[in-house]
Amino acid sequence: MGSNSSRIGDLPQNEYLKKLSGTESVSENDPFWNQLLSFSFPAPTSSTELKLLEEATISVCRSLVENNPRTGNLGALIKVFLSRTKELKLSAECQNHIFIWQTHNALFIICCLLKVFICEMSEEELQLHFTYEEKSPGSYSSDSEDLLEELLCCLMQLITDIPLLDMTYEISVEAISTMVAFLSCQLFHKEVLRQSISHKYLMRGPCLPYTSKLVKTLLYNFIRQEKPPPPGAHVFPQQSEGGGLLYGLASGVATGLWTVFTLGGVGSKAASAPELSSPLANQSLLLLLVLANLTDAPDAPNPYRQAIVSFKNTQDNSPFPSSAPHAFQINFNSLYTALCAQQTSDQATLLLYTLLHQNSNIRTYVLARTDMENLVLPILEILYHVEERNSHHVYMALIILLILTEDDGFNRSIHEVILKNITWYSERVLTEISLGSLLILVVIRTIQYNMTRTRDKYLHTNCLAALANMSAQFRSLHQYAAQRIISLFSLLSKKHSKVLEQATQSLRGSLSSSDVPLPDYAQDLNVIEEVIRMMLEIINSCLTNSLHHNPNLVYALLYKRDLFEQFRTHPSFQDIMQNIDLVITFFSSRLLQAGAELSVERVLEIIKQGVVALPKDRLKKFPELKFKYVEEEQPEEFFIPYVWSLVYNSAVGLYWNPQNVQLFTMDSE
């Protein structure tokens, strides 16, 4: 190419790439590989940059797809990489920059090729490309070495064993991205893959012993959020103005493939993409989620999910149960801190959901924290900005709240945490409010948003379930939270009246015209009445269990007592209305005795006094409201497409041609 060449358009004509993809076999011992691997350019940091690279090299890749069965050059490249990785750890310790640089370049090329191969062919055909034997060109034998498995195992070793330094940062990111590419066959299938060659390699054989170590490393990469080194730091040490021997040597061999250039062309700016403070942490988290959501093998459960379900705190000295073969220990405090800080991303929220739902050690630890607001506030902020989030992120946040509210200790403690000046809550200035009251406000806002926009029954159900779980432990509700509870009931009441009127008019119209099909108002009415009953049960649960702690809710009930008149004699609500009617009647009588023109302060004082005098035995006891989150029967049908949608939309490390992707069924708002 020459040292002055810097155009990405020149790549298809590059002599070394043409030789790699051509009809001539290249031995793994050929000096050609040193020339091929001696390129230096800023590593692509976004899908946009990788798209440019793939578009420029797709013809080379397809030529290799066609010729590799006869040449075995892909296998030779992989053998070169595998031989180099055996010395990689020592090279890092000795700071052998050039060796690490060339090894990274080999892996980068392998990853680029692998994505094209997976896109162009089935897994069975891909495996044939990895089992080429030189002694009999074009033939494949079951006895030949399995480079695919060896490469996958090598990547796991690289990720877990190579120390993270400036010079090894890029190769660590590339190893993780290559593993994701290995598993990306799922992207090209409409159905969830339940049996796969790559899954088989990961779940048995030489890869299996690395399970817990890999999961632990990926978690620590997420926890540490290591930023990438400055450009060039992973290849060359800082040079003086005149350069140095290392730079001169590198520049001399860098004419083989690419010289230093920007992917968009000389002097051009890369297309704007979301910047990540830590590409390593992001890619690690994506790979972790992909591994956790692999389907079980026919004869064995997913070992990576087993590791995620069973790992313990470093301070837990109890022995590991025999049922947890892949368990390990990790610092829970560091993990909790990272989870609290990273909830703006879908993948971090999905990890939090996975850990809370499946790892009882994590759930117990989180529920025992005294700084619960650090975790709950970011989750509430996701729900508050519901219109800016995709529906799956909102679901995960909501289910996390539902899981947390299953615990009575959590429901009590959140009302003891006092927050000041919640700046992101814009409907009203909240100078001081409990975490519990804020949670109620945000969940109710989510319900109201859903009623007017998405009308998703599943979202309604989970919001109401979280409120119901909390209702018996409502304490010192903020006056605004109490008002919003009653306002939501008012909204439901109006909707009930409207649908009832529509049903009545429709019924009258049907008497004069029997040919027009009737809308299913009965079903709409049934759904609304279910939600209304749920709201009445939530209010009733609070009054029955913690009336003396919530004068503001009693005040709001009295202020809007006319709302409840129509439901006193309704057959669907008569039983649950008894206690609410009793409370309204009792306190209305006391206010009447106190005279007219009462101030808010005086009304609250009368309510607080009346709470003591109210005969509790007259309040009817109902079963405790408790709802548990239950995962769908086939959760992989939701989670696997969701995880791959996150990988597909990731800001760094991978790019797939959208025309070929078939599984991408999730929304990408």
Side-chain angles (χ1 to χ4, degrees), residues 3 12 29 45 82 87 198 264 325 345 354 357 481 502 516 551 569 571 644 668:
S3 59
N29 299 314
T45 58
L82 292 175
E87 302 176 43
S198 54
S345 74
T354 302
H357 177 50
Q502 288 173 334
V516 182
T569 56
W644 279 105
S668 54

Side-chain angles (χ1 to χ4, degrees), residues 450-632:
N450 186 51
M451 286 176 65
T452 57
R453 304 284 184 89
T454 56
R455 300 183 181 182
D456 186 328
K457 184 180 178 182
Y458 180 79
L459 194 143
H460 259 344
T461 302
N462 283 283
C463 284
L464 290 168
L467 288 177
N469 285 347
M470 295 169 60
S471 59
Q473 277 84 34
F474 283 171
R475 294 290 187 276
S476 304
L477 288 182
H478 191 280
Q479 60 179 18
Y480 186 50
Q483 289 171 18
R484 299 305 293 162
I485 291 172
I486 304 305
S487 294
L488 176 58
F489 185 81
S490 174
L491 185 64
L492 291 166
S493 175
K494 290 175 183 176
K495 196 169 183 65
H496 180 267
S497 299
K498 182 179 179 180
V499 174
L500 190 60
E501 183 181 347
Q502 288 173 334
T504 304
Q505 290 176 353
S506 178
L507 188 61
R508 287 172 184 164
S510 68
L511 296 176
S512 57
S513 175
S514 57
D515 298 331
V516 182
L518 291 174
D520 194 358
Y521 288 115
Q523 184 177 352
D524 290 348
L525 199 62
N526 185 53
V527 170
I528 293 170
E529 288 186 354
E530 283 181 12
V531 177
I532 287 175
R533 180 169 180 88
M534 188 76 151
M535 282 301 301
L536 288 172
E537 287 178 340
I538 289 168
I539 294 169
N540 179 73
S541 175
C542 177
L543 297 179
T544 306
N545 294 284
S546 54
L547 177 65
H548 55 295
H549 288 298
N550 292 292
N552 283 326
L553 182 61
V554 176
Y555 182 97
L557 270 174
L558 295 172
Y559 190 74
K560 293 283 188 178
R561 53 183 174 266
D562 293 345
L563 280 175
F564 298 89
E565 285 293 328
Q566 60 179 306
F567 300 106
R568 293 174 67 183
T569 56
H570 195 291
S572 299
F573 311 117
Q574 271 185 316
D575 59 335
I576 205 73
M577 275 298 301
Q578 288 181 30
N579 289 341
I580 296 172
D581 192 36
L582 173 64
V583 169
I584 289 174
T585 303
F586 177 82
F587 285 100
S588 294
S589 173
R590 294 183 73 90
L591 290 176
L592 193 61
Q593 293 173 16
E597 303 295 329
L598 299 175
S599 66
V600 173
E601 292 76 14
R602 177 60 181 147
V603 171
L604 285 170
E605 185 182 339
I606 293 169
I607 290 171
K608 290 174 184 176
Q609 293 169 352
V611 165
V612 181
L614 178 68
K616 304 294 189 298
D617 57 344
R618 291 177 59 190
L619 293 172
K620 182 181 177 182
K621 290 291 182 183
F622 287 87
E624 185 181 6
L625 292 177
K626 272 297 171 189
F627 294 88
K628 290 183 70 69
Y629 167 67
V630 179
E631 201 168 64
E632 298 293 329

Side-chain angles (χ1 to χ4, degrees), residues 293-325:
N293 286 282
L294 295 178
T295 52
D296 293 336
D299 55 347
N302 177 350
Y304 304 93
R305 189 182 302 123
Q306 283 186 315
I308 288 170
V309 166
S310 58
F311 72 82
K312 302 191 304 182
N313 196 352
T314 47
Q315 297 178 352
D316 185 348
N317 297 318
S318 62
F320 288 111
S322 57
S323 59

